[in-house]
């Protein structure tokens, strides 16, 4: 199964956001400002929407 590039970007953004969130939650990345986490969450949402739009488009 071959994944589209937009799906790969979404999966990377989502996994990196989750990793940062967990590491910040257990105080390993407590020095990181909350704005960085919000930017990662926003980036994940945007890439998820774009991946969904790309999936619904038909390519001939």
């Amino acid at each position: 199964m071959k994944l589209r590039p937009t799906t790969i970007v979404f999966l990377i953004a989502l996994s990196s956001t989750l990793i940062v969130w967990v590491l910040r939650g257990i105080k390993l990345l407590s020095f990181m400002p909350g704005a960085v986490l919000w930017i990662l969450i926003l980036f994940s949402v945007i890439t998820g929407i774009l991946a969904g739009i790309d999936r619904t488009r038909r390519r001939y």
Side-chain angles (χ1 to χ4, degrees):
M1 181 175 164
K2 185 176 179 184
L3 296 175
R4 293 183 176 156
T6 54
T7 304
I8 294 170
V9 171
F10 169 66
L11 291 174
I12 291 170
L14 184 64
S15 62
S16 63
T17 302
L18 289 175
I19 289 170
V20 168
W21 190 8
V22 169
L23 290 177
R24 192 168 185 260
I26 59 175
K27 308 292 185 199
L28 288 177
L29 292 178
S30 60
F31 60 88
M32 184 177 294
V36 174
L37 186 58
W38 280 109
I39 289 170
L40 284 172
I41 291 171
L42 183 64
F43 183 66
S44 296
V45 169
I46 290 171
T47 56
I49 290 170
L50 291 176
I53 290 172
D54 186 42
R55 187 175 185 193
T56 59
R57 285 192 302 171
R58 294 183 182 174
R59 294 184 180 172
Y60 294 106

